[in-house]
């Protein structure tokens, strides 16, 4: 188990602040965040490439904070894989084992096993220059896994792959992780990729971990406005509440919440229902005209312009046209109320821009 | 399909001016040949004195290049990778040979070699560093070591540090990483730099003039010999040796471009 406590570090102008993170044995953790949020820096600190200013990193209870990278037994696969260009695939995989002075026969055995697990038999004698993106990724993975690290750090390992290959490779990564029963930390900025591989995710911004949890849990209960926006909750409003109703402009949303005063209301577009056949009974109902619609691969996105402007996701089965008047309902259980103080410097969000 | 070439007066002017450089050098070589003629030029190539001078130049430049590499490779790596006191001062010093005349180096060496440890070495081991081949080696080494370090730093700067980080996480020490990962990756850059350093050592003249002085048969490496023969009015020797020097330079630069093509050291 890897435990990081109150980790702080600075690299030039960039600061990593108060990182607290736990990776359980056999767990696949995704680290998500926008560009420049500190994801790569964090895993470089874990790998030992940088020394933190304060805080501790423990592996199975042992403090490794001040150990050199070669003493940590933590694998690292950088974004460009960094395969040694002067070595063949086989030699790349054997590199770590030879560095640990393993006897030659054991090195050969381990390399052959890794080549077999990752299905690299046909490329074992090739140089890295002659490998495709997917092959390079497998070799980098094999090289890191051959040394049986306690934790494997993957820095955007799928970013160089095309969409189809990315999904397939994500599945493969997950299978490999389950096969070796190791703990993996996977950095990416795409939450679909994170959802494909991770048991749990941690979301970073500005050098801090803002929220950790399952993808479903974070989507349902974002901690603040940043998380809500990052998780593509497109309906985010600023309002006032008395603890049972949220007032947004002239609109009232029924939602019990523990706050009073200023509040941020978040509604995910896929949680908004379109009322069929003009049914308009119940709470949190709003009428509006379709201002814009966009057909996407798995759903249709509607911009509904009414008293409460909303973005709504619906199935592609029904066709909508610009100007159609519809009723929509936002069920109270799917409205997330965030205390205004959790969103420092939140701009006026009402009305939202499509 | 190649890229469509752009015409017009501006590209033509630039290409024309580039051609001027070539023309200057062709005229330089041709004027000497016209003055001396083919047969006489070839005649001097048959003289053993010519080959002795060439051999002295080759071996002294090779030894001083090797000595420069012994210091230049680790020093270039240190300047490229590590933070240490006076790093920027060292980084500036290695640029000095580009702007300071080697005559300055020669003048300084003159004062230093009469003191410790040089006087101690000459006393105990009977190796006197002065107007002999040791002096030649010392001048060549002093002039090229900073130059060599500069080029090595450029070679190492081109290798992303990520490779070293990955090697370390795989369990390799910095020492093993240097020899197994960094050096092989910098190979082309190092070889190309080595050729440039060798050519620089072979062409050294000003520092030698001050520190070693011209001694026939002892310190007359090619550029120095040209100077000696010029003073003696022996134009045949001067022309023949100039041609050899030109050929050496062209070979060195071509080799550097071919070997170090992808390393962009220069």
């Amino acid at each position: 188990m890897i435990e990081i406590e109150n980790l702080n570090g600075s690299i030039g102008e960039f600061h990593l602040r108060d990182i607290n993170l736990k990776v359980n044995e056999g767990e696949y953790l995704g680290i998500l965040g926008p560009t420049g949020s500190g994801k790569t820096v964090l895993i470089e600190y874990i790998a030992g490439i940088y020394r933190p200013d304060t805080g501790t990193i423990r592996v199975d209870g042992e403090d490794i904070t001040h150990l050199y990278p070669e003493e940590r037994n933590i694998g690292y696969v950088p974004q460009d894989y960094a395969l040694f260009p002067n070595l063949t695939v086989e030699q790349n995989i054997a590199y770590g084992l030879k560095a640990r002075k393993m006897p030659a026969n054991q090195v050969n055995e381990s390399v052959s096993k890794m080549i077999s697990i990752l299905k690299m038999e046909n490329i074992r004698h090739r140089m890295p220059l002659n490998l495709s993106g997917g092959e390079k990724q497998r070799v980098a993975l094999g090289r890191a896994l051959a040394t049986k690290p306690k934790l494997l750090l993957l820095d955007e390992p799928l970013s160089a792959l095309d969409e189809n290959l990315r999904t397939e490779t994500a599945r493969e990564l997950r299978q490999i992780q389950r096969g070796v029963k190791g703990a993996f930390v996977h950095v990416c900025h795409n939450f679909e990729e994170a959802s494909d591989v991770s048991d749990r995710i941690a979301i970073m911004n500005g050098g801090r971990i803002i929220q950790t949890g399952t993808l479903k849990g974070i989507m349902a209960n974002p901690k603040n406005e940043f998380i809500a926006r990052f998780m593509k909750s497109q309906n985010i409003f600023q309002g006032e509440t008395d603890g049972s109703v949220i007032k947004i402009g002239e609109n009232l949303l029924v939602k019990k919440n523990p706050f009073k005063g200023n509040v941020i209301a978040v509604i995910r577009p896929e949680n908004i229902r379109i009322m069929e056949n003009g049914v308009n009974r119940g709470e949190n109902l709003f009428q509006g005209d379709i201002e814009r619609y966009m057909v996407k691969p798995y759903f249709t996105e509607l911009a509904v312009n009414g008293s409460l402007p909303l973005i709504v996701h619906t199935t592609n089965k029904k066709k909508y046209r610009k100007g159609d008047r519809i009723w929509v309902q936002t069920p109270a259980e799917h409205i997330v109320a965030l205390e205004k103080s959790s969103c420092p410097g939140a701009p006026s969000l009402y009305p939202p821009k499509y | 399909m190649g890229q469509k070439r752009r015409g017009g007066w501006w590209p033509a002017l630039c290409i024309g001016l580039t051609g001027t450089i070539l023309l200057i050098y062709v005229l330089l070589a041709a004027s000497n040949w016209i003055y001396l003629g083919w047969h006489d030029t070839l005649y001097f190539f048959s003289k053993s004195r010519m080959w002795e001078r060439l051999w002295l130049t080759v071996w002294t430049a090779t030894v001083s290049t090797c000595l420069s590499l012994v210091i230049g490779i680790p020093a270039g790596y240190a300047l490229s990778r590590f933070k240490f006191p006076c790093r920027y001062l060292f980084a500036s010093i290695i640029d000095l040979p580009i702007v300071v005349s080697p005559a300055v180096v020669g003048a300084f060496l003159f004062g230093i070699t009469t003191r410790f440890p040089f006087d101690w070495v000459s006393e105990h081991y009977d190796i006197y560093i002065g107007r002999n081949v040791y002096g030649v080696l010392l001048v060549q080494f002093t002039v090229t070591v900073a130059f060599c370090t500069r080029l090595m730093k450029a070679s190492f700067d081109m290798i992303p540090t990520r490779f070293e980080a990955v090697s370390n996480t795989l369990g390799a020490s910095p020492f093993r990483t240097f020899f197994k990962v960094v050096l092989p990756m910098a190979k082309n850059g190092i070889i190309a730099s080595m050729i440039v350093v060798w050519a620089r050592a072979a062409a050294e003249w000003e520092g030698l003039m001050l520190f070693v002085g011209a001694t026939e048969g002892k310190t007359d490496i090619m550029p120095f010999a040209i100077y000696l023969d010029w003073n003696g009015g022996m134009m045949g020797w001067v022309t023949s040796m100039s041609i050899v020097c030109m050929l050496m330079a062209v070979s060195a630069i071509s080799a550097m471009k071919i070997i170090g093509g992808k390393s962009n050291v220069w």
Side-chain angles (χ1 to χ4, degrees):
Chain A
M1 187 204 282
I2 317 295
E3 289 168 289
I4 300 166
E5 281 173 12
N6 304 319
L7 191 83
N8 286 278
S10 307
I11 300 166
E13 297 291 305
F14 185 82
H15 302 284
L16 210 60
R17 298 171 207 269
D18 301 321
I19 301 291
N20 285 286
L21 190 67
K22 198 180 273 185
V23 189
N24 297 312
E25 216 167 315
E27 186 181 30
Y28 204 128
L29 179 83
I31 298 184
L32 268 169
T35 306
S37 58
K39 311 177 295 284
T40 298
V41 173
L42 172 60
I43 62 165
E44 286 175 344
Y45 270 104
I46 300 172
I49 296 165
Y50 302 118
R51 294 291 174 92
D53 299 336
T54 57
T56 53
I57 303 171
R58 286 198 187 85
V59 177
D60 296 335
E62 185 200 349
D63 188 349
I64 61 158
T65 318
H66 300 290
L67 294 185
Y68 289 111
E70 59 269 27
E71 298 165 334
R72 293 189 178 208
N73 197 19
I74 290 178
Y76 170 52
V77 177
Q79 195 174 350
D80 61 357
Y81 313 128
L83 295 178
F84 305 133
N86 53 312
L87 305 177
T88 63
V89 167
E90 210 170 47
Q91 289 166 334
N92 261 284
I93 296 170
Y95 183 87
L97 304 171
K98 286 182 180 171
R100 285 152 203 255
K101 300 191 169 47
M102 192 183 262
N105 58 337
Q106 282 181 37
V107 170
N108 293 337
E109 201 178 304
S110 299
V111 169
S112 298
K113 193 177 164 190
M114 199 45 68
I115 283 174
S116 160
I117 290 172
L118 295 172
K119 301 180 184 78
M120 297 187 289
E121 287 87 352
N122 55 337
I123 57 165
R124 65 189 298 165
H125 300 299
R126 280 206 218 153
M127 299 304 280
L129 194 67
N130 304 320
L131 300 175
S132 68
E135 287 168 340
K136 279 183 188 167
Q137 197 241 7
R138 288 216 299 278
V139 177
L141 210 58
R143 181 179 64 178
L145 287 172
T147 57
K148 296 187 177 144
K150 287 177 181 165
L151 173 71
L152 181 63
L153 306 164
L154 304 159
D155 187 7
E156 303 197 21
L158 310 180
S159 61
L161 309 180
D162 64 54
E163 190 62 38
N164 289 336
L165 196 59
R166 189 185 300 174
T167 314
E168 195 185 311
T169 315
R171 205 168 30 239
E172 270 181 26
L173 263 178
R174 185 67 199 188
Q175 279 172 358
I176 291 163
Q177 186 262 341
R178 283 187 180 136
V180 298
K181 297 186 182 86
F184 279 29
V185 171
H186 179 128
V187 162
C188 57
H189 53 244
N190 174 349
F191 77 93
E192 282 163 25
E193 183 181 319
S195 70
D196 284 344
V197 292
S198 311
D199 295 312
R200 222 157 43 93
I201 60 171
I203 298 178
M204 288 189 76
N205 192 34
R208 294 175 194 271
I209 291 181
I210 310 294
Q211 192 170 4
T212 52
T214 61
L215 184 77
K216 210 172 165 185
I218 294 175
M219 279 170 80
N221 287 301
K223 194 176 170 183
N224 61 22
E225 190 205 329
F226 164 75
I227 299 279
R229 284 193 185 282
F230 188 73
M231 302 306 279
K232 296 184 183 172
S233 298
Q234 288 155 289
N235 302 297
I236 301 171
F237 306 99
Q238 193 170 292
E240 284 177 18
T241 183
D242 59 1
S244 58
V245 173
I246 300 169
K247 191 176 177 206
I248 302 165
E250 295 303 313
N251 302 286
L252 297 176
L253 278 175
V254 177
K255 169 70 183 175
K256 281 189 182 167
N257 63 79
F259 319 118
K260 280 188 179 163
N262 291 334
V263 75
I264 302 283
V266 178
I267 311 160
R268 291 198 64 81
E270 67 272 20
N271 290 334
I272 299 174
R273 265 184 238 149
I274 296 175
M275 309 305 284
E276 298 299 332
N277 305 322
V279 175
N280 60 356
R281 262 174 258 153
E283 57 191 20
N284 300 339
L285 274 168
F286 301 96
Q287 194 183 34
D289 298 331
I290 295 174
E291 174 118 337
R292 171 177 66 76
Y293 69 95
M294 196 180 287
V295 179
K296 298 202 173 184
Y298 307 111
F299 61 89
T300 299
E301 184 176 282
L302 306 174
V304 182
N305 191 15
S307 59
L308 186 69
L310 291 164
I311 303 288
V312 181
H313 286 179
T314 183
T315 63
N316 286 340
K317 282 179 191 167
K318 190 172 176 186
K319 302 288 173 215
Y320 292 92
R321 284 173 302 178
K322 190 179 175 186
D324 284 354
R325 178 158 292 186
I326 57 169
W327 282 91
V328 294
Q329 186 177 38
T330 58
E333 67 270 24
H334 292 309
I335 300 170
V336 178
L338 301 169
E339 200 175 2
K340 179 73 167 49
S341 59
S342 71
C343 314
S348 176
L349 303 169
Y350 179 80
K353 286 178 185 168
Y354 297 135
Chain B
M1 289 273 285
Q3 194 184 358
K4 194 181 173 187
R5 285 184 188 168
R6 193 185 175 95
W9 67 271
W10 174 240
L13 178 69
C14 293
I15 294 166
L17 289 171
T18 312
T20 314
I21 301 168
L22 185 68
L23 189 68
I24 290 168
Y25 280 90
V26 168
L27 284 174
L28 275 176
S31 64
N32 274 336
W33 275 327
I34 291 161
Y35 175 76
L36 198 69
W38 269 107
H39 292 288
D40 280 8
T41 309
L42 290 173
Y43 164 75
F44 287 103
F45 282 108
S46 65
K47 295 283 188 184
S48 64
R49 191 169 144 204
M50 166 76 84
W51 299 111
E52 279 163 16
R53 286 167 162 183
L54 181 62
W55 171 239
L56 182 68
T57 310
V58 169
W59 86 256
T60 52
T62 307
V63 170
S64 56
T65 300
C66 292
L67 293 172
S68 295
L69 285 173
V70 168
I71 292 179
I73 290 177
Y77 186 64
L79 288 168
S80 170
R81 292 294 195 267
F82 307 129
K83 285 180 180 170
F84 53 88
C86 304
R87 181 168 173 263
Y88 289 106
L89 179 68
F90 283 115
S92 303
I93 285 172
I94 60 168
D95 285 332
L96 283 181
I98 298 166
V99 285
V100 171
S101 164
V104 177
V105 175
F108 279 131
L109 281 176
F110 199 75
I112 290 169
T113 48
T114 53
R115 294 182 173 84
F116 185 81
F118 297 97
D119 58 345
W120 185 85
V121 170
S122 63
E123 198 176 306
H124 288 80
Y125 296 97
D126 202 22
I127 299 171
Y128 169 68
I129 299 172
R131 293 176 178 273
N132 54 19
V133 76
Y134 297 121
V136 174
L137 287 173
L138 183 65
V139 172
Q140 286 178 336
F141 169 76
T142 314
V143 170
T144 56
V145 69
F147 194 60
C148 177
T149 308
R150 174 85 185 75
L151 292 172
M152 292 305 151
K153 181 183 179 296
S155 298
F156 293 126
D157 281 347
M158 282 183 295
I159 300 168
T161 53
R162 230 172 9 266
F163 288 95
E164 284 140 277
V166 169
S167 170
N168 292 151
T169 61
L170 289 167
S173 65
F175 184 75
R176 185 184 175 91
T177 299
F178 180 73
F179 282 98
K180 296 284 180 183
V181 176
V182 181
L183 267 190
M185 285 181 74
K187 187 185 72 186
N188 283 1
I190 290 173
I191 295 171
S193 308
M194 206 168 78
I195 295 165
V196 178
V197 171
W198 186 90
R200 180 73 188 79
E204 175 48 31
W205 180 80
E206 292 158 278
L208 288 175
M209 183 68 187
L210 262 81
F211 181 66
V212 180
T215 311
E216 181 72 40
K218 267 188 170 180
T219 62
D220 53 344
I221 65 166
M222 294 292 272
F224 216 178
I226 291 172
Y227 170 74
L228 285 173
D229 291 345
W230 179 271
N231 280 345
M234 296 187 283
M235 287 309 291
W237 285 103
V238 170
T239 307
S240 308
M241 284 187 296
S242 301
I243 291 165
V244 174
C245 284
M246 288 277 268
L247 288 174
M248 270 167 51
V250 170
S251 312
I253 291 165
S254 305
M256 184 202 75
K257 299 260 184 213
I258 293 164
I259 297 166
K262 286 178 186 170
S263 63
N264 299 319
V265 166
W266 205 249

